[in-house]
Amino acid sequence: MKQKHLRVKPGVPLHLGEIDPSDTNGFKDKDDARECHERNLHKLETLQEKLAASRSYAVLIVLQGMDSSGKDGVIKHVMSGVNPQGVDVHAFKQPTEEELSHDFLWRCQEALPERGRIGIFNRSYYEEVLVVRVHSSLLAKEDVENGKDIWCERFEDINAFERHLVRNGTRILKFFLHISKDEQRTRLLARLDDPSKNWKFSRSDATEREYWKEYIAAYESMLSATSTDFAPWYVIPADHKWCSRAAIGEITVDALESLDLHYPKPDAEQEKSLDRIRKQFEAEKR
């Protein structure tokens, strides 16, 4: 699978219109992607166990994308092979009054994973430079003025925040699920036509489509400004769910393998204790 071209280059202007949302990313077909996905599930299971045992790093996965781009499906399928006790998933909806009374990063800071765990943000602090930028009247609820430099300042704050996390042992993976407007319409119609999916449809899904161009512009600005060497963004073509899930699984596995995780070795005192217990168990056999 190709990966390098999915990574957003820091500071380089990005044009999402030049990236095909239906690109299969080198996979021949759905079966090819499924085989890759299955291999990565097995690898991820072992890697997560080593992550939990070593407690040297935390892993934060950030998922952003338009409505129905497949964020929930990625969480369900990519993480289907891991121990749920070691994964924390947080979905950030409309902020509460308490959250609005704090700085824009506060509510996500409260949910960060500790070392040894994987944290997944289904939407995140990036909503503060996306939906709040598209609907700038929301800034009034945060008691923040919409100055000309506010978005650049927030980009700087996010980059500094993520640099701090990386320096303190958190590996950050950020995925933008890039879906076409036509494919989104197909998926939203499916929610309307299938009674079992009606509950997933929100009136705002249709309303927000009217701001498609504004969201694309906000995403392009955000992706370019906040993709860094230490916390890169990946633009994942998402018109084919089987392709996006396999791609994210592959990138996640590669990132965890790069941490060179190992099971901790017992120190001399622990080894003596283990040796005594072995002898005790062996004596019980006699």
Side-chain angles (χ1 to χ4, degrees), residues 104 128-129 139 142 150-158:
F104 77 95
E128 295 291 335
V129 293
L139 281 172
E142 300 178 11
I150 186 172
W151 308 117
C152 290
E153 291 171 353
R154 287 196 168 186
F155 293 152
E156 291 176 2
D157 292 340
I158 288 171

Side-chain angles (χ1 to χ4, degrees), residues 114-171:
E114 61 188 63
R115 290 187 184 89
R117 301 183 67 82
I118 297 173
I120 303 175
F121 285 180
N122 184 346
R123 301 186 188 277
S124 64
Y125 42 87
Y126 281 100
E127 294 293 284
E128 295 291 335
V129 293
L130 294 169
V131 64
V132 177
R133 186 169 188 174
V134 172
H135 301 286
S136 56
S137 61
L138 294 173
L139 281 172
K141 295 183 178 181
E142 300 178 11
D143 290 327
V144 177
E145 293 184 5
N146 188 4
K148 64 178 181 179
D149 297 325
I150 186 172
W151 308 117
C152 290
E153 291 171 353
R154 287 196 168 186
F155 293 152
E156 291 176 2
D157 292 340
I158 288 171
N159 288 341
F161 173 63
E162 291 180 346
R163 183 186 292 276
H164 165 72
L165 293 179
V166 171
R167 284 174 171 169
N168 285 273
T170 298
R171 181 63 185 269

